[in-house]
Amino acid sequence: MRGRAEGEAGIGPGHAALTRSLRQRIQGERLRPGDLLFQGESGGILAGSVIHRVWRGARRVVLLPYVFESPAGRRVYDNRHTRLAKWLNDGIPSARVAEWAGNSVAVLLATYVRGVDGRLSDLKRRLEAAGDLPEGPGVG
């Protein structure tokens, strides 16, 4: 549950177009809090095998074959890792990303520290502009 109480929802940013689409679907279906957007055959939660099958089919349709065959997004949960790493790489403060993820900063950084890259030149530029970049061997 990532440190949240039973029934407590996590709040994080969502893509605006997808959020609008989901809200329209919820309104169109006249769903109320606690209702399921997608239901299984008996009206309960969808079986994991159904979710996996639909996810695999969707990936096959929208991804290039080499991406489909890669581990990227193989499981629905992989998208969480991709999104969190992207936010960190985009420079969103780790405290904010951890809050959105429902993790502590320590857990977030222990999990994603190796995936944060691509910002070194920007960080060096900012440090140099501030006059705080040390000179000497090993800086680079």
Side-chain angles (χ1 to χ4, degrees):
M1 265 278 173
R2 306 211 181 291
R4 290 190 276 271
E6 179 71 29
E8 182 182 357
I11 297 175
H15 190 281
L18 294 176
T19 301
R20 276 192 303 277
S21 178
L22 281 172
R23 286 183 176 156
Q24 288 171 353
R25 171 86 190 262
I26 290 167
Q27 185 178 14
E29 297 287 329
R30 293 192 169 113
L31 298 177
R32 303 179 63 84
D35 289 348
L36 297 174
L37 184 58
F38 302 104
Q39 299 177 8
E41 289 183 43
S42 62
I45 295 175
L46 283 172
S49 60
V50 172
I51 294 169
H52 178 75
R53 189 170 55 250
V54 169
W55 182 251
R56 183 172 171 78
R59 285 182 73 245
R60 186 182 304 277
V61 169
V62 301
L63 298 177
L64 295 170
Y66 77 92
V67 179
F68 175 78
E69 293 301 328
S70 78
R74 188 161 287 158
R75 300 169 303 161
V76 175
Y77 191 76
D78 294 336
N79 289 309
R80 171 186 168 80
H81 297 297
T82 302
R83 177 55 49 194
L84 297 178
K86 181 173 184 335
W87 286 338
L88 291 169
N89 280 317
D90 287 347
I92 297 174
S94 55
R96 174 65 62 193
V97 175
E99 179 184 338
W100 289 339
N103 290 115
S104 68
V105 173
V107 167
L108 181 82
L109 294 179
T111 304
Y112 296 100
V113 71
R114 287 178 217 78
V116 179
D117 60 12
R119 306 222 0 112
L120 185 57
S121 61
D122 179 51
L123 294 172
K124 283 183 178 180
R125 182 185 51 72
R126 290 169 54 195
L127 287 169
E128 287 173 355
D132 291 339
L133 186 64
E135 294 184 25
V139 178

